[in-house]
Amino acid sequence: MNNIRVRIAPSPTGEDLHIGNVYTALLNFIFACKYHGKFIVRIEDTDRTRLVQGSMARILKTLHWFGLNYDEGPDIGGPYGPYIQSERLDLYKHHAEELVRKGFAYYCYCTPGDLEQMRQEQIAAGKPTLYDGRCKQDKEQRTENPPSLKLRRASREQKYVIRLNVPDDGTTEFNDLIRGKVSFQNRLIDDQVLLKSDGFPTYHLAVVVDDCAMKITHVIRAEDWLSSTPKHILIYKYLGFELPVFAHTPILRNPDRSKLSKRKNPVWISWYKSQGYLPEAILNHLALMGWSMPENWSGKTNGVEIFTIDEMIKYFELKDVKTVGPAFDLKKLDWINGEYIRMTNNSKLTTQIYEFYDKKYPLELITRTTPLIKERIKKLSDYFILCQFFFEAPKEYEIPLSDKLSLVKDIVNSLKMLNTWKADKIGENMLNLATSLNIKNSEFFMILRVAITGKKISPPLNESMEILGKKEVIDRLNNLTLSK
Ligand code: GLU
């Protein structure tokens, strides 16, 4: 395949990139890489009522965070810019008027009140709620124009939109790369508004004009847009544009199979970042939504496919994407993320943890403690839960120690005798003490662990004590006996 050009077209209407958009971005990116094509980002900001300040910048930053780097986009430009739709308004108006001239679209002067009344009447009559074409009829010189319409037209302030003139009969069909042949009856396709009264295009007009102007060869997007595609195909046809190939990917679902929603699953990438998920792990998890490595691929880790972007590029085929994907399961993502953490080398992981906590905690201490917890954490945010005691003495203890203070004193005395403050020596010393006091090891070490870390579960204790240092350990134990 030659000169492949694909795009994502996020709308800057949320706090960050939506996880569903990341999925679409991933598939487009992989497809572009595989066929040495171009991956383009276009910002669709024509719905002015839903714009969120700063959203575009966050979306672009997040794409880079994932390594889904694009070849053309709003911040880097490219040969077919601008890549922000609000900067291309003249183009849409030009094409909307061209459609009217050719008879493929018409001016509509209906007010929101008219449309609401029409809708209510259709609902009452049990009919589909589609625009009934009354302004089209007016254009065709029908005699039965409602007088109110004539009056409004005479007024200079009348507002109008431009609507697509969808034929009443026939079907609109296309071949979807993932779904095969898809067919829609024209009579059920609405006379879609193309240009709004504020002069902005709707998504439907803008997406077609831009995909054509930007020479997009493959439109790979979520299933949500499948029912819009026949409208787009009519616009392509009416404007004399060459059709791209369409591929509608499965939408992400909650475990109860409903469409992924804020109420049941976090959807903004800002949340995933705040929890310390690694971008590669999220991409790996997303890749498996409706696609999997070929049968003969042998890289499974405990039955789950863990792979790099390069491996995915090698094996990925759009036609292999299933129409329905598995549920987006956070527990599985946790597991995959843990695997990625373990695959990360210590020095990189240390930097990731350091940066995750905004460089608030000393790098040296993170460097020493990271190897202790690497096997145990699933997300970067688990680090502090396990390691907080390295940075501050515990304020609470998960087991009451008030009846253990004489043991704590014995421990202090024994540790004081230690000349070499190394994990193995500390362990040996403590074991000897437990034996000489005739206390079961498990019980002894549980008390010691809680006394030092506050918790019943902690990173390996001897190593932790070595890192804390002799003075700190003895101070913590002494403070316990003093404060009681
Ligand atoms: N602006 C649409 C979105 O927010 C783009 C849909 C498409 O890819 O055509 O997802």
Side-chain angles (χ1 to χ4, degrees), residues 197-253:
S197 56
D198 61 2
F200 276 80
T202 55
Y203 156 70
H204 305 279
L205 175 65
V207 77
V208 171
V209 167
D210 284 345
D211 282 344
C212 175
M214 296 177 181
K215 299 204 168 12
I216 300 304
T217 56
H218 293 69
V219 171
I220 305 166
R221 64 183 166 201
E223 184 187 342
D224 311 49
W225 305 102
L226 187 67
S227 62
S228 300
T229 306
K231 295 175 189 170
H232 301 174
I233 290 189
L234 290 174
I235 303 173
Y236 273 99
K237 229 169 77 182
Y238 295 157
L239 287 173
F241 293 165
E242 199 181 321
L243 279 180
V245 175
F246 290 98
H248 289 88
T249 61
I251 51 166
L252 304 185
R253 294 179 187 279

Side-chain angles (χ1 to χ4, degrees), residues 2-20:
N2 283 330
N3 300 327
I4 295 293
R5 291 176 58 81
V6 294
R7 75 347 179 238
I8 53 161
S11 297
T13 51
E15 70 175 61
D16 198 342
L17 202 58
H18 189 283
I19 186 93

Side-chain angles (χ1 to χ4, degrees), residues 8-119:
I8 53 161
S11 297
T13 51
E15 70 175 61
D16 198 342
L17 202 58
H18 189 283
I19 186 93
N21 285 143
V22 180
Y23 180 51
T24 312
L26 171 68
L27 297 193
N28 276 280
F29 177 82
I30 296 285
F31 188 75
C33 292
K34 184 165 183 100
Y35 295 106
H36 311 290
K38 298 272 187 261
F39 172 51
I40 292 133
V41 174
R42 179 176 72 231
I43 295 293
E44 298 201 333
D45 60 345
T46 57
D47 187 348
R48 311 304 286 172
T49 58
R50 293 178 57 225
L51 292 188
V52 171
Q53 265 294 324
S55 178
M56 177 175 99
R58 288 193 289 273
I59 286 172
L60 299 177
K61 197 168 160 207
T62 294
L63 284 169
H64 289 301
W65 183 72
F66 278 111
L68 298 173
N69 299 324
Y70 40 90
D71 303 293
E72 298 166 29
D75 50 346
I76 55 172
Y80 302 100
Y83 292 86
I84 301 179
Q85 288 189 326
S86 58
E87 295 173 12
R88 303 166 64 82
L89 296 184
D90 289 350
L91 191 65
Y92 312 124
K93 192 159 191 297
H94 165 81
H95 284 298
E97 284 167 356
E98 177 188 341
L99 287 170
V100 175
R101 272 199 314 280
K102 291 179 172 169
F104 294 128
Y106 59 90
Y107 294 102
C108 168
Y109 296 87
C110 290
T111 62
D114 295 336
L115 297 174
E116 185 49 29
Q117 194 188 344
M118 185 189 307
R119 219 175 70 86

